[in-house]
């Protein structure tokens, strides 16, 4: 039987945070041997908010190096840059015709980003989930590992797939989101009821994967907690609970173990321990990313062969779609 297919992507906009690492990339690494994996760098999604072109190009390579540094194996997975496979845009156009404006207007991310970029509510921003559906459906994906914030978009991909299949006959596999058990949502260190996000203007709200040890420790020290001093996981202690989750993920200790470890100790000791655990875990990833970025020939080679492999699968699906909708393909 054919292997199950897993697909995911991260946008190369901004510096990646530990939220991206925990919520997305680390899960991919864990699952890469069990599935046929496609991991993309979603640069077409990035331009829905304004980007500096030179920076976008540089960050695309940085994200590719980061995937590899985190342990994505290019022999096992297809690692590629979205804009190098033209079928993404082509399929998005067709899917646009089975997607309703109302559905897109209701998307949480669209509403958030429209507010944040009120001077640039472009069509791409609203169409973002359709392009994402095209990404997923082109590869006949079964599973999409993402953080909680993207669940709604994966559901749209499902709805669109089902709708297309009903209208034109069986064409797409219907994908499902896969959420990590812990760490599906790492919260901002400054406003713990908001998710940690690479586009947050407050640099103290996020731990970037590129931050050095001193910076990481300083940011955790400043993290917003509460007026008590008890290291306890609880709904009303959002800040502390977030730090407990982070510590628990990076040290692989359970929440109960963490609570026990810091019983009777104050937030100061706890925050320092979190900072050290995160910094120590990130150090080898940072060193490997740096090494890879110095080897452009290797990186370019990985991305070129990834794009070629992705192209072959994408072309097959798009051919099927064009046939189903009745597009002339030469006779
Ligand atoms: P932006 O701020 O530019 O919207 P982002 O930080 O939200 O970016 P994305 O590129 O949208 O990151 O997300 C990449 C992946 O990382 C997605 O699977 C997303 O669900 C996951 N992710 C992002 N932020 C977090 C977070 N705070 N906790 C867990 N997962 C996250
Ligand atoms: N929208 C996603 C990135 C993304 C994606 C995808 C994730 C683009 N295409 C396909 C999963 C599957 C984000 O910003 N997190």
């Amino acid at each position: 039987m054919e292997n199950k297919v897993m697909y995911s992507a991260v946008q190369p906009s901004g510096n990646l945070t530990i939220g991206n690492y925990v919520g997305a990339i680390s899960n991919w690494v864990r699952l890469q041997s069990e599935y046929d994996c496609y991991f993309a760098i979603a640069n077409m999604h990035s331009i829905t908010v304004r980007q500096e072109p030179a920076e976008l190009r540089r960050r695309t390579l940085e994200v590719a190096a980061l995937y590899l540094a985190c342990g994505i194996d290019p022999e096992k997975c297809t690692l590629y840059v979205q804009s190098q496979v033209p079928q993404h845009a082509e399929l998005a156009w067709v899917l646009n015709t089975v997607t309703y404006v109302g559905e897109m207007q209701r998307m949480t991310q669209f509403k958030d980003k429209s507010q944040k970029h009120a001077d640039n509510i472009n069509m791409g921003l609203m169409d973002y989930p359709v392009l994402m559906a095209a990404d997923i459906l082109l590869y006949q994906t079964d599973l999409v590992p993402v953080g909680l914030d993207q669940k709604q978009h994966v559901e749209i991909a499902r709805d669109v797939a089902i709708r297309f299949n009903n209208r034109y006959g069986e064409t797409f596999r219907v994908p499902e989101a896969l959420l990590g058990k812990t760490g599906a949502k790492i919260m901002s260190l400054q406003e713990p009821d908001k998710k940690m996000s690479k586009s947050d203007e407050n640099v103290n709200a996020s731990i970037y994967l590129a931050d050095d040890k001193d910076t990481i420790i300083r940011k955790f020290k400043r993290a917003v907690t509460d007026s008590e001093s008890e290291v306890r996981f609880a709904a009303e202690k959002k800040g502390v609970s977030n730090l407990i989750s982070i510590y628990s993920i990076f040290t692989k200790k359970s929440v109960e173990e963490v609570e026990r470890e810091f019983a009777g100790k104050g937030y100061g000791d706890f925050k320092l321990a979190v900072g050290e655990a995160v910094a120590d875990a990130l150090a080898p990833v940072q060193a490997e990313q740096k090494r890879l970025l110095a080897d452009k020939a290797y990186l370019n080679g990985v991305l070129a062969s990834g794009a070629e492999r992705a192209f072959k699968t994408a072309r097959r699906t798009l051919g099927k779609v064009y046939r189903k909708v009745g597009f002339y393909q030469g006779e």
Side-chain angles (χ1 to χ4, degrees), residues 119-133:
D119 58 338
N120 185 22
I121 307 178
N122 61 75
M123 287 301 292
L125 195 62
M126 186 155 101
D127 206 27
Y128 181 116
V130 178
L131 179 60
M132 183 162 155

Side-chain angles (χ1 to χ4, degrees), residues 160-193:
V160 166
I162 293 169
R163 207 174 290 155
F164 188 98
N165 288 346
N166 285 341
R167 193 166 304 172
Y168 294 106
E170 210 49 37
T171 308
F172 296 120
R173 260 191 229 172
V174 180
E176 243 172 81
L178 179 72
L179 300 176
K181 284 186 214 69
T182 40
K185 200 165 184 185
I186 302 279
M187 309 311 281
S188 152
L189 299 186
Q190 291 299 316
E191 294 167 79
D193 41 15

Side-chain angles (χ1 to χ4, degrees), residues 7-9 11 42 45 128 132 135-136 144 146 150:
Y7 188 99
S8 201
Q11 301 181 63
H45 280 100
Y128 181 116
M132 183 162 155
D135 297 345
I136 296 168
V144 188
V146 282
Q150 294 297 318

Side-chain angles (χ1 to χ4, degrees), residues 11-306:
Q11 301 181 63
S13 32
N15 295 312
L16 268 65
T17 71
I18 56 169
N20 301 127
Y21 177 68
V22 173
I25 304 172
S26 67
N27 289 323
W28 308 354
V29 174
R30 200 165 42 80
L31 296 165
Q32 64 181 337
S33 308
E34 295 170 39
Y35 296 88
D36 254 354
C37 295
Y38 292 85
F39 297 124
I41 300 160
N43 58 345
M44 294 167 71
H45 280 100
S46 290
I47 63 167
T48 56
V49 303
R50 254 176 229 120
Q51 304 291 331
E52 171 58 46
E55 217 166 272
L56 181 64
R57 201 171 297 122
R58 176 174 57 75
R59 287 204 163 118
T60 302
L61 274 185
E62 282 176 7
V63 174
L66 190 71
Y67 282 5
L68 295 168
C70 290
I72 296 293
D73 179 352
E75 302 289 322
K76 287 188 192 147
C77 311
T78 302
L79 172 58
Y80 72 101
V81 177
Q82 187 186 28
S83 63
Q84 292 202 296
V85 180
Q87 286 84 0
H88 290 253
E90 294 177 294
L91 179 60
W93 177 254
V94 176
L95 298 182
N96 270 330
T97 64
V98 292
T99 310
Y100 298 103
V101 173
E103 290 179 297
M104 297 297 99
Q105 284 169 329
R106 281 195 296 275
M107 293 286 107
T108 310
Q109 181 179 292
F110 172 65
K111 289 193 272 190
D112 288 351
K113 292 209 171 170
S114 303
Q115 237 172 30
K116 217 153 125 193
H117 306 277
D119 58 338
N120 185 22
I121 307 178
N122 61 75
M123 287 301 292
L125 195 62
M126 186 155 101
D127 206 27
Y128 181 116
V130 178
L131 179 60
M132 183 162 155
D135 297 345
I136 296 168
L137 301 183
L138 268 179
Y139 301 92
Q140 302 292 358
T141 301
D142 297 283
L143 273 187
V144 188
V146 282
L148 194 57
D149 62 305
Q150 294 297 318
K151 186 166 176 254
Q152 201 179 34
H153 291 162
V154 178
E155 267 152 24
I156 283 290
R158 285 175 64 83
D159 292 347
V160 166
I162 293 169
R163 207 174 290 155
F164 188 98
N165 288 346
N166 285 341
R167 193 166 304 172
Y168 294 106
E170 210 49 37
T171 308
F172 296 120
R173 260 191 229 172
V174 180
E176 243 172 81
L178 179 72
L179 300 176
K181 284 186 214 69
T182 40
K185 200 165 184 185
I186 302 279
M187 309 311 281
S188 152
L189 299 186
Q190 291 299 316
E191 294 167 79
D193 41 15
K194 243 176 61 180
K195 82 161 185 154
M196 185 182 285
S197 158
K198 59 175 134 67
S199 57
D200 200 315
E201 277 128 43
N202 184 349
V203 293
N204 289 317
S206 306
I207 302 290
Y208 302 110
L209 294 177
D211 281 345
D212 60 29
K213 187 161 187 169
D214 288 348
T215 310
I216 294 176
I217 289 177
R218 182 172 41 79
K219 286 182 179 175
F220 277 114
K221 249 190 216 156
R222 289 194 192 164
V224 170
T225 45
D226 51 60
S227 54
E228 298 177 6
S229 62
E230 197 189 350
V231 178
R232 178 170 55 90
F233 195 96
E236 71 280 8
K237 289 165 77 76
K238 286 226 174 78
V240 172
S241 298
N242 187 39
L243 298 184
I244 295 177
S245 302
I246 294 173
Y247 187 70
S248 138
I249 289 160
F250 279 91
T251 59
K252 301 196 173 65
K253 294 176 186 167
S254 70
V255 169
E256 295 74 32
E257 281 174 289
V258 179
E259 287 177 339
R260 238 176 290 133
E261 184 177 345
F262 293 95
K265 299 191 184 141
Y267 288 164
D269 284 355
F270 175 54
K271 285 175 167 179
L272 182 64
V274 183
E276 284 186 333
V278 172
D280 292 347
L282 294 186
V285 174
Q286 293 172 342
E288 179 63 3
Q289 185 195 23
K290 196 166 159 208
R291 191 188 69 75
L292 287 162
L293 280 170
D295 192 352
K296 290 272 152 46
Y298 172 73
L299 270 185
N300 288 329
V302 166
L303 293 175
S305 70

